[in-house]
Amino acid sequence: MRSASTEHPSSERPQRPDIPTGVARATPLTALDRVPWGDIQDSTGSAAAIPLLLNGIAWGDPDTARSALHDLRRRICQFGFVVEQATAATVPFLWELAKLPQVTCRAQIIQLLKSIADARQWESTAAAYPKLLNHRENPVVWERAARQAVRARRGELGRLMDDEDTEIARATNELARSLGT
């Protein structure tokens, strides 16, 4: 049985030197390795590059973040309305990035979440071509899971609506309207 360390009182936690104070609690990116990115698909094939893109958005300078978000959008919500298998797994990380003040493209992330919430391409196609639903890889399921992933975090809209940045507040209000909240 392990005994508690006596080096630090129980009300104090030792700081990890490799992670800046507050970063581990403020970003979801520490959980990126819990998603089997190599086993799921984005519009280019394997979704293995998505963690690198999310890191670029989180920690990159404005140009790097904007470029990473552009590439991510192309991979998970192509043309602004075609979602992929990896989209639902990416959505929780987008919500977290939208809340982090150091992220320079927060309004664009919220706009991407709105695009995902509005996506109905595969459902519309399946309505005209029901055989689509019989495919082993069913994109209608991906689309519904992605929309549900956006809706699952809608409780976080209030904080973003109150943001001092009017572009973020406007994008959040549009997302809220899209979600019917």
Side-chain angles (χ1 to χ4, degrees):
M1 177 191 269
R2 289 175 73 182
S3 61
S5 170
T6 57
E7 289 181 35
H8 299 281
S10 62
S11 63
E12 274 184 35
R13 287 198 164 286
Q15 295 297 316
R16 290 182 54 190
D18 57 335
I19 297 176
T21 303
V23 171
R25 290 181 302 274
T27 180
L29 301 183
T30 58
L32 281 174
D33 61 348
R34 295 183 189 148
V35 177
W37 298 106
D39 297 338
I40 57 178
Q41 301 288 308
D42 65 19
S43 69
T44 66
S46 171
I50 288 179
L52 296 172
L53 295 171
L54 289 167
N55 275 308
I57 295 166
W59 309 113
D61 60 69
D63 289 338
T64 300
R66 191 171 31 261
S67 176
L69 182 60
H70 176 76
D71 193 17
L72 182 68
R73 176 184 279 273
R74 185 177 55 81
R75 289 170 175 263
I76 66 165
C77 191
Q78 197 169 28
F79 311 116
F81 57 85
V82 181
V83 301
E84 300 293 335
Q85 183 182 27
T87 306
T90 308
V91 166
F93 298 104
L94 293 173
W95 272 108
E96 294 301 321
L97 290 173
K99 296 185 312 183
L100 295 175
Q102 76 266 20
V103 174
T104 59
C105 53
R106 293 168 58 211
Q108 293 78 20
I109 292 169
I110 296 164
Q111 291 166 350
L112 175 55
L113 288 168
K114 181 187 180 305
S115 293
I116 294 167
D118 290 343
R120 300 280 189 288
Q121 177 66 28
W122 293 118
E123 282 185 359
S124 298
T125 302
Y129 303 101
K131 288 183 181 182
L132 179 66
L133 299 172
N134 298 330
H135 289 200
R136 185 181 68 119
E137 293 182 353
N138 187 336
V140 175
V141 172
W142 303 342
E143 191 173 71
R144 289 177 182 157
R147 286 197 314 261
Q148 179 54 38
V150 174
R151 282 182 176 73
R153 303 281 292 268
R154 68 182 171 260
E156 299 176 23
L157 289 168
R159 179 175 162 216
L160 290 168
M161 281 185 208
D162 295 335
D163 200 279
E164 293 176 4
D165 185 323
T166 57
E167 188 179 7
I168 292 169
R170 185 174 1 95
T172 305
N173 279 311
E174 290 173 11
L175 175 57
R177 278 193 298 279
S178 184
L179 295 174
T181 55

